[in-house]
Amino acid sequence: MDLPVRVLGHTPPPPLPGVRQWWGNDEGDNGLYLRHGMGLTPAAVMSELFTPAFVEVRGCVLLRHRFSERNFLTWWDKLDGDVIRIESVLNHTHLWDLMPEPTDGADEDILDWIRERLAEAWLDRVSRLFPQRRFYCELVDDYGPTISLHQAG
């Protein structure tokens, strides 16, 4: 029997070598992989990455884990209080700083897929926390896959 199935949301990830190695194919249950192959600490860290806390200071909305008062004040002065430019700098995140650098094209595809999911999650999260504002996620490749979140101008 072929049931009509409609998938909503994002595209599935590219083949994941770790899951393939663990299951022996690409059809395994990612939830079981998390339970048996990853553990709680990495899962918690990834959860925090995808649903971050934000701070609001002088009209800027910034990732809490990247915020430092001293750094903020430096950029505030350097960029003459330009909120969008300050957010663009301080929320600028290189995936290579968070995860291992890719060793081949398959890893690059996975990082690009993660970056797209991260941008979607950050936009959803910040839009829920600050519903009166509009935000934009910029996806660039300056030092590997990079994401930057700032308010729409």
Side-chain angles (χ1 to χ4, degrees), residues 18-134:
V19 172
R20 182 184 309 126
Q21 182 179 359
W22 196 72
W23 276 104
N25 60 51
D26 290 321
E27 302 300 319
D29 181 330
N30 289 346
L32 287 176
Y33 176 77
L34 284 173
R35 180 177 179 189
H36 298 287
M38 187 173 172
L40 289 176
T41 300
V45 169
M46 291 303 290
S47 293
E48 175 66 18
L49 177 63
F50 279 84
T51 57
F54 291 90
V55 297
E56 181 181 18
V57 58
R58 293 188 179 174
C60 295
V61 176
L62 305 168
L63 294 161
R64 184 183 69 188
H65 72 275
R66 305 274 318 254
F67 178 75
S68 121
E69 185 175 327
R70 183 177 191 188
N71 194 36
F72 171 78
L73 291 172
T74 297
W75 284 103
W76 180 267
D77 291 341
K78 187 173 189 170
L79 298 176
D80 297 319
D82 185 325
V83 169
I84 292 172
R85 288 175 56 207
I86 293 165
E87 290 173 339
S88 294
V89 169
L90 297 181
N91 290 334
H92 191 88
T93 303
H94 301 280
L95 266 61
W96 284 0
D97 290 341
L98 305 174
M99 298 171 198
E101 290 187 36
T103 58
D104 58 28
D107 285 353
E108 290 176 11
D109 291 344
I110 293 168
L111 278 175
D112 285 339
W113 185 86
I114 290 171
R115 177 179 59 177
E116 290 172 13
R117 302 297 69 76
L118 193 59
E120 183 179 332
W122 284 6
L123 280 174
D124 182 60
R125 177 88 165 153
V126 77
S127 295
R128 288 172 191 240
L129 294 171
F130 300 91
Q132 71 284 8
R133 301 184 193 185
R134 289 188 22 233

